[in-house]
Amino acid sequence: MIQVKNYYLSFGKKKILNDINYQFQAGITAIVGPSGSGKSSFVLSLNRLTDLYSNTRYSGEILFEDNNILIQKKNLGKIRHAIGTVFQKPTPFPVSIYKNLELSLIELGTVEKKNYLEKIKEVLKKVSLWEDVQDNLHKSALKLSGGQQQKLCIARTLLLNPKILILDEPCSSLDPISTLQIEELLIQIAKLTPVIIVTHNLKQAKRIAEHLIVFGIHEGVGSIIEKGRSEEVFLAPKHHFTKTYLEYEAF
Amino acid sequence: MNIKKNLIVLISFPILILFFMMISNIILEGHAGLSWNYFVTEASHAGRSGGIAPIIVSTTIIVILTLLISTPFSFCSALILTLVISKNRYLLSLFEISLTLLSGLPSVVFGLFGSAFFGKTLGFGYSLISGALTLSCMVLPFYTKILHDNFKILPREYFLSGKALDLSLYQFAKNILIPLNLYAIAAGAIFSISRALGETAALIFTSGYVDRYPHSLLDSGRTLSIHIYDLALNIPGGDQAALKASFVFLLLSLTINFILSVVLKNTLLRGLQ
Ligand SMILES: Nc1ncnc2c1ncn2[C@@H]1O[C@H](COP(=O)(O)OP(=O)(O)O)[C@@H](O)[C@H]1O
Ligand SMILES: [Mg+2]
């Protein structure tokens, strides 16, 4: 599992995250908090996708399988496969549905080409997309609806056999039905693979998460305000800010 | 409101008239004496009589070579700007300013550079390849700028997803960047073709102006624009022939644009299905 110790992050001169400490656990962990509190920056840090931003600077430790990934120079690709990420905006690639999934298998490099179709069918069934797309595998993925696109993005990440799955507000642009389907899916996945989900939707966090992290902003810098088992935080928040946030957002 | 509208009409009117005068002059005088023979024979008397077959061959070769050279180079430059150089804001603006300045440089400067570098240093002499390389240098800055400007506005999630799946640069370019930027690539390609078709100053010192058939890419050849330029400026009594060649130029450029728009429409529509 991932353990974060004294993690600080800044983009150039702008401080983003302040002294983050957290030990992730099995099951679903939800991260909530106001916009701009650094939730996305935090989850993207867990596999160093923040390196893509300009002038990223960080200190502290992020331990994954006993390695501090912050000082790792090689094999970041392997880490990004092991810690899979799905983003807020569904980004199916502008090629066919089949090709979208095939790309993952090509990069993974451990599946024989003749087994591709079987693998792709299996994962599409898992994300309950097979029924919808089985006749259109070679049509452009851009033709899919928002919910289907996001399921495809999850499928493409699952094909890489991640040991941890991160989702950054995966349902924020989806309708309620797709949202519920994705929640179902995450509960299934979380039985085997720890899931970390950033969400704006407190009800969603309540429905699916075992663990909760509440982010806040202090003088423009994000930090963890409160953390713990989800039902405990929802029932009896310790921090004043959490209380108001939970009450306010519950509307 | 009305005044503004009238002003616009007033300004555009002379431009329209000028345009029609030029076109009608070329069409009326240029098509006289045009026959099939003109397209399949070589020039004689320095172009005053005879045809333009070798010139069409050289023009086509130079245009296609320029397209084939400038497209991958511009694509790679834009890719490097987007993926690597953009991490440093100051370096990026330095490069962006250079691109803008370079794309405004007079073409004769590229001609002199091309003749010195491709002609002498690399030893290509006066040749189609020298000319195409020089034209590629000339269109590269603007072509790169078009592509880079389009890469810049892509949602960041595409780049993040590419990294998250650890896609190789080749797979990322092939499956994401190219399909998403077909329109920009088409715009750049059309820009390249039209610059190559219309260019004279950059070619006189590089591909030369020999009006016979080129024997290889290392042989010199004359493009249609140079032919027109030469007839109009250097050859006494070449005016009529220049108009005739201009008429063919119009036809050629219309044909190329037509073919391109059909091809692009089909591939683009297919790509977006
Ligand atoms: N590429 C970037 N460069 C500089 N600052 C950024 C960049 N992306 C986000 N930020 C800043 O980082 C802070 C945290 O943003 P983010 O992690 O997206 O928060 P959240 O996901 O909680 O809304 C914000 O103040 C935002 O302005
Ligand atoms: Mg966010």
Side-chain angles (χ1 to χ4, degrees):
Chain A
M1 273 315 287
I2 304 180
Q3 183 177 14
V4 183
K5 286 185 185 168
N6 306 106
Y7 181 64
Y8 289 77
L9 172 74
S10 51
F11 294 141
K13 289 209 178 72
K14 189 175 183 333
K15 288 195 182 124
I16 305 293
L17 290 174
N18 202 5
D19 197 14
I20 306 288
N21 291 282
Y22 193 77
Q23 165 75 57
F24 282 97
Q25 282 162 50
I28 299 182
T29 306
I31 302 179
V32 299
S35 302
S37 57
K39 305 181 297 294
S40 298
S41 306
F42 176 57
V43 291
L44 293 187
S45 298
L46 301 179
N47 55 15
R48 293 262 300 270
L49 281 174
T50 32
D51 286 14
L52 260 70
Y53 291 46
S54 46
N55 300 316
T56 314
R57 274 182 236 154
Y58 35 75
S59 66
E61 286 175 56
I62 294 181
L63 300 170
F64 173 63
E65 296 180 339
D66 299 328
N67 288 321
N68 180 3
I69 65 153
L70 292 181
I71 55 171
Q72 191 149 345
K73 298 243 158 48
K74 288 184 295 185
N75 286 336
L76 280 175
K78 285 247 163 54
I79 289 194
R80 287 169 185 154
H81 280 185
I83 307 177
T85 319
V86 175
F87 303 93
Q88 177 171 5
K89 185 180 155 58
T91 46
F93 301 140
V95 286
S96 71
I97 296 167
Y98 183 87
K99 186 78 199 176
N100 262 277
L101 297 166
E102 188 192 37
L103 273 176
S104 291
L105 294 174
I106 292 175
E107 291 309 329
L108 190 64
T110 54
V111 179
E112 276 186 68
K113 200 163 172 142
K114 66 175 197 298
N115 298 332
Y116 277 8
L117 184 61
E118 193 186 322
K119 269 276 178 193
I120 285 173
K121 186 172 165 183
E122 183 187 314
V123 78
L124 282 173
K125 280 191 171 156
K126 191 165 185 181
V127 300
S128 59
L129 200 56
W130 176 252
E131 302 278 296
D132 299 351
V133 304
Q134 56 178 328
D135 300 322
N136 295 325
L137 279 184
H138 294 282
K139 292 263 169 65
S140 169
L142 302 181
K143 285 265 167 87
L144 297 172
S145 73
Q148 292 172 325
Q149 292 190 353
Q150 196 60 297
K151 285 184 197 165
L152 182 68
C153 292
I154 295 176
R156 145 180 113 182
T157 308
L158 288 181
L159 277 178
L160 298 167
N161 309 320
K163 295 188 178 133
I164 294 168
L165 182 65
I166 297 173
L167 304 100
D168 186 3
E169 303 194 23
C171 304
S172 63
S173 58
L174 306 184
D175 60 275
I177 293 178
S178 310
T179 302
L180 285 180
Q181 287 174 338
I182 287 184
E183 286 177 11
E184 281 293 308
L185 173 63
L186 295 183
I187 291 170
Q188 288 306 315
I189 293 172
K191 287 178 182 160
L192 295 174
T193 313
V195 170
I196 302 169
I197 177 172
V198 177
T199 176
H200 246 94
N201 183 339
L202 285 178
K203 294 207 179 89
Q204 179 171 58
K206 224 175 206 165
R207 279 196 296 269
I208 62 173
E210 280 130 278
H211 310 280
L212 191 71
I213 310 178
V214 183
F215 269 71
I217 317 177
H218 184 64
E219 287 169 356
V221 190
S223 59
I224 294 182
I225 300 277
E226 187 148 353
K227 55 194 167 187
R229 292 196 59 81
S230 170
E231 64 260 37
E232 284 165 19
V233 177
F234 274 115
L235 263 178
K238 291 197 196 79
H239 199 282
H240 174 68
F241 169 82
T242 321
K243 217 177 262 173
T244 28
Y245 179 74
L246 294 183
E247 279 165 13
Y248 191 72
E249 290 278 318
F251 280 105
Chain B
M1 182 61 213
N2 243 338
I3 296 178
K4 268 190 208 158
K5 207 170 158 189
N6 290 337
L7 205 66
I8 292 173
V9 174
L10 213 67
I11 294 172
S12 61
F13 208 58
I15 299 176
L16 276 178
I17 293 187
L18 201 68
F19 177 72
F20 280 113
M21 274 169 59
M22 275 171 58
I23 293 283
S24 59
N25 188 30
I26 291 174
I27 292 176
L28 289 178
E29 310 224 359
H31 86 283
L34 207 62
S35 67
W36 180 242
N37 243 0
Y38 184 65
F39 292 95
V40 295
T41 55
E42 294 188 42
S44 54
H45 298 102
R48 272 171 290 223
S49 56
I52 52 166
I55 291 160
I56 291 193
V57 171
S58 301
T59 309
T60 314
I61 292 175
I62 285 200
V63 167
I64 291 177
L65 273 183
T66 304
L67 193 62
L68 290 183
I69 299 169
S70 63
T71 304
F73 274 94
S74 306
F75 189 86
C76 292
S77 316
L79 198 60
I80 291 171
L81 277 181
T82 314
L83 293 182
V84 184
I85 296 183
S86 67
K87 288 196 180 176
N88 185 325
R89 218 178 314 145
Y90 302 107
L91 204 58
L92 182 67
S93 22
L94 190 72
F95 271 87
E96 285 182 331
I97 293 169
S98 321
L99 285 184
T100 311
L101 287 179
L102 277 176
S103 46
L105 221 55
S107 54
V108 65
V109 177
F110 285 98
L112 293 172
F113 162 76
S115 133
F117 185 66
F118 301 121
K120 303 220 172 63
T121 310
L122 295 187
F124 291 139
Y126 280 97
S127 66
L128 298 179
I129 189 78
S130 276
L133 285 167
T134 307
L135 286 178
S136 298
C137 290
M138 198 178 86
V139 299
L140 186 89
F142 195 63
Y143 202 159
T144 305
K145 192 171 151 48
I146 296 177
L147 293 178
H148 174 56
D149 285 348
N150 278 276
F151 292 173
K152 263 200 307 206
I153 56 173
L154 285 181
R156 190 203 298 273
E157 278 83 359
Y158 281 111
F159 295 98
L160 286 172
S161 314
K163 273 286 173 216
L165 301 183
D166 193 32
L167 292 187
S168 65
L169 197 55
Y170 167 74
Q171 295 285 9
F172 184 68
K174 180 173 159 233
N175 295 297
I176 298 161
L177 277 182
I178 294 180
L180 283 177
N181 289 285
L182 279 181
Y183 281 102
I185 296 171
I190 290 172
F191 167 75
S192 275
I193 291 175
S194 52
R195 284 302 297 266
L197 265 184
E199 187 52 40
T200 51
L203 289 179
I204 289 179
F205 308 115
T206 53
S207 58
Y209 35 87
V210 182
D211 60 8
R212 56 171 166 69
Y213 282 108
H215 297 298
S216 72
L217 295 185
L218 286 169
D219 200 3
S220 170
R222 171 188 287 212
T223 66
L224 199 51
S225 290
I226 292 196
H227 190 53
I228 297 169
Y229 169 84
D230 194 46
L231 284 171
L233 256 76
N234 300 334
I235 311 289
D239 293 0
Q240 181 56 38
L243 279 169
K244 208 157 137 184
S246 304
F247 182 68
V248 175
F249 185 90
L250 266 183
L251 286 183
L252 190 67
S253 125
L254 278 178
T255 318
I256 290 179
N257 272 303
F258 177 73
I259 293 174
L260 271 178
S261 71
V262 171
V263 170
L264 288 175
K265 212 174 264 169
N266 286 335
T267 52
L268 285 182
L269 284 182
R270 209 171 332 122
L272 295 177
Q273 253 162 29

